[in-house]
Amino acid sequence: MVIGSMRCRLAIDGSRSLKDKKRALRSLLTRARNTFNVAVAEVDDLEMWNRAGIGVVCVSNDSGHAHSILEKVARMFDSCPQVTLESYEIEIV
């Protein structure tokens, strides 16, 4: 069993409150869960209204597959017009 984890830092464009942040992240995180079958949650910068730290985890039987899935999630975050992907780190265990 291989566990892949990714930590992303996002800037939320146009957010003026925590309510705006939650609205922008909710659809993005739900889409990642449903499309790629990963566990995803906001894990850092909880009180900042224009930034978010996102954790993504997937379980696979192949490290290449786990890395590929996490890369696809990062590309999905990067292509979203509401957020800017500032950085991400992938770790395979």
Side-chain angles (χ1 to χ4, degrees):
M1 176 172 60
V2 176
I3 301 169
S5 66
M6 177 172 65
R7 185 178 198 116
C8 301
R9 294 196 45 87
L10 303 175
I12 297 137
D13 305 327
S15 176
R16 307 235 186 287
S17 67
L18 289 175
K19 193 174 191 178
D20 290 342
K21 174 185 176 178
K22 184 176 180 179
R23 186 178 307 120
L25 287 180
R26 185 181 308 138
S27 65
L28 184 63
L29 301 185
T30 300
R31 191 170 36 162
R33 279 185 201 103
N34 294 338
T35 304
F36 300 107
N37 197 24
V38 295
V40 58
E42 184 180 4
V43 295
D44 199 11
D45 298 328
L46 299 173
E47 297 300 320
M48 296 182 70
W49 51 267
N50 60 351
R51 297 220 181 284
I54 304 297
V56 183
V57 178
C58 72
V59 177
S60 178
N61 59 354
D62 178 40
S63 62
H65 180 257
H67 194 275
S68 172
I69 292 295
L70 294 174
E71 284 284 340
K72 288 177 184 178
V73 173
R75 282 197 302 268
M76 186 193 77
F77 288 168
D78 196 31
S79 68
C80 181
Q82 298 170 330
V83 301
T84 303
L85 179 63
E86 294 181 334
S87 66
Y88 69 95
E89 308 170 354
I90 294 177
E91 182 180 350
I92 305 294
V93 179

